[in-house]
Amino acid sequence: MEQQVKPFSFSSYQVEDSVGYLLSRTKTMLSKAVDDSLVDLGITHAQASVIMMLAIGRCSTAAELARDLFIDAGAMKRMLDRLVAKEILARTPDANDKRLLKLVLTEQGRALAECLPPIYHHNLDIAFTGFSPEEIGFLRSLLKKLLANRCLFEPIEST
């Protein structure tokens, strides 16, 4: 069996050059920029992510959202409670399984979802100033490759 070479060496580790540190700082920078842009709409970037995931049909339950957005179930419930209180989304029983609650955007939530893409695009246009389309495409492909390794972090279920 061929042993995989580890891409990182602790002996030459510099925090400010760490891929993890740079990814974290980048996410924080983008999240803050989006939060600042969403103040007038009365939502946060995390809430906007939930709204967008529901709007595009990627997720329809709290468990799916928590899993996809890497948010623990308790925090997701609290966020959904706030969005329900703001009348942005509603919980409805699943037609096939009454124990399951589906999340649906209200009319207000759908209108809000339509406002979000231009806000995200504006912030990304600023963040990617000086990047070529090829560089953005390459970064996108690398990030997708990184995300594809998600399953390596999840515990293996015993049968």
Side-chain angles (χ1 to χ4, degrees), residues 67-137:
R67 197 170 28 257
D68 208 64
L69 296 173
F70 300 95
I71 298 172
D72 74 79
M76 179 57 67
K77 182 189 179 313
R78 290 186 297 275
M79 184 185 321
L80 295 174
D81 288 345
R82 286 190 290 275
L83 292 171
V84 167
K86 292 180 181 190
E87 299 181 355
I88 292 171
L89 65 85
R91 293 178 173 106
T92 61
D94 183 279
N96 299 318
D97 184 351
K98 298 296 183 201
R99 298 168 297 169
L100 186 63
L101 291 175
K102 293 285 188 172
L103 302 170
V104 294
L105 293 174
T106 62
E107 187 175 321
Q108 178 183 335
R110 287 188 301 276
L112 189 55
E114 289 180 24
C115 298
L116 297 176
I119 293 169
Y120 280 94
H121 286 245
H122 172 74
N123 283 288
L124 289 173
D125 284 345
I126 293 169
F128 284 98
T129 298
F131 283 70
S132 71
E134 293 79 17
E135 288 171 323
I136 293 170

